[in-house]
Amino acid sequence: MDYLDLSQLAQYLHLTPAQIKKMVDRGDLPAQKVGGSLRFSEAEVHHWLEEKIGLGDSDELDRVRRVLDAKEPPRTHAPRSLSQLCPIELVANPLGARTRSSVIRSMCDLAATTGMLWDAKAMCDAVTNREQLHPTALDCGIALMHPRRPQTSLLADSVVALGVCPCPIPFSDSGQLTDVFFLLCSYDDSDHLRILAKLSRMISDSEWLDGLRTAESPGETWAILDEAERELDGRTPS
């Protein structure tokens, strides 16, 4: 497991060491002491950021995105958009699954059709384990399914799949009813958090969610996703 020290985490989050220490003292940020010094597990920090994104407002999500962009080395090309990561071929509407296990299996099989996901079963197992530890179903009826950490050994690149069930199904152990499912198969942490941050902003729009639910085909569903992303990014509609 990889660890960051106080100065490294401060640089990563664009905060001062004093701010990080205050967050630790309040119990807001997971840390452990090794030889009298604070150490931060990258996996735990990743999970903390993931939770922060899920709870954040628009300003907070923008800040997380700026942190990720600053941390990431310069790219030779712009990151692919969500609608590129999730082409029409990876939209299942209607999604004919009626249980949590069949939803996860169907979505992983769908993502594997791109050739970017090499082992659908292994991804299915990783996503199932994540759901058992911490369900990704939200109160708004959407689940943002993903494994605990990026599965680099299973992927050639990041892939996103989208499924819409005609009727909500109980997806979490609490009986939470869910009818819109995103599967995030991210190649690395930065991609995963960037995708999650964008989706978190999009699903805060109830009209957008209604549009996904009333769409009658994969093409119509994808167009609703693409239009919302273009508006969010300030791009001209195609």
Side-chain angles (χ1 to χ4, degrees):
M1 182 181 295
D2 294 328
Y3 287 87
L4 303 171
D5 62 23
L6 184 61
S7 62
Q8 288 171 326
L9 183 61
Q11 183 179 16
Y12 176 35
L13 296 179
H14 283 205
L15 299 171
T16 66
Q19 288 173 312
I20 296 291
K21 191 173 184 307
K22 185 178 294 185
M23 293 166 69
V24 172
D25 292 340
R26 291 199 307 257
D28 295 338
L29 184 62
Q32 52 189 281
K33 281 199 171 182
V34 179
S37 299
L38 288 173
R39 291 290 184 270
F40 304 87
S41 160
E42 283 194 9
E44 291 181 352
V45 170
H46 177 274
H47 180 69
W48 175 79
L49 270 174
E50 185 177 272
E51 291 295 305
K52 196 173 184 66
I53 286 174
L55 297 172
D57 58 21
S58 294
D59 291 340
E60 182 66 21
L61 295 175
D62 282 338
R63 194 188 74 78
V64 172
R65 184 172 61 178
R66 289 195 297 271
V67 168
L68 294 171
D69 289 342
K71 176 182 182 292
E72 194 171 68
R75 291 176 180 246
T76 57
H77 55 83
R80 288 192 295 156
S81 66
L82 183 59
S83 54
Q84 289 174 323
L85 294 169
C86 182
I88 295 175
E89 294 75 21
L90 293 188
V91 177
N93 186 7
L95 175 64
R98 298 299 304 158
T99 64
R100 178 170 63 183
S101 59
S102 63
V103 165
I104 296 173
R105 183 172 59 253
S106 297
M107 295 293 286
C108 289
D109 286 343
L110 180 61
T113 62
T114 62
M116 296 296 168
L117 170 60
W118 301 316
D119 192 333
K121 184 180 184 305
M123 181 61 74
C124 180
D125 291 342
V127 172
T128 299
N129 290 337
R130 172 63 169 81
E131 290 294 333
Q132 291 172 343
L133 285 171
H134 188 81
T136 62
L138 305 174
D139 291 343
C140 59
I142 284 190
L144 303 177
M145 305 182 299
H146 56 273
R148 286 190 68 190
R149 295 300 305 274
Q151 303 292 303
T152 307
S153 62
L154 307 180
L155 293 163
D157 201 349
S158 297
V159 176
V160 176
L162 167 59
V164 182
C165 285
C167 297
I169 66 172
F171 191 69
S172 67
D173 293 337
S174 66
Q176 171 71 46
L177 292 178
T178 308
D179 58 354
V180 179
F181 301 90
F182 281 92
L183 173 65
L184 316 182
C185 301
S186 306
Y187 189 77
D188 56 35
D189 286 346
S190 292
D191 262 5
H192 174 68
L193 293 172
R194 184 177 287 105
I195 294 167
L196 193 63
K198 177 169 284 188
L199 279 174
S200 293
R201 293 192 63 180
M202 294 169 76
I203 65 179
S204 65
D205 184 345
S206 60
E207 290 186 6
W208 181 71
L209 295 181
D210 290 342
L212 290 181
R213 291 182 169 114
T214 56
E216 298 181 348
S217 68
E220 186 179 346
T221 306
W222 182 88
I224 291 170
L225 174 69
D226 181 59
E227 181 180 3
E229 183 179 27
R230 287 177 179 276
E231 182 177 341
L232 188 62
D233 293 344
R235 293 184 282 132
T236 304
S238 57

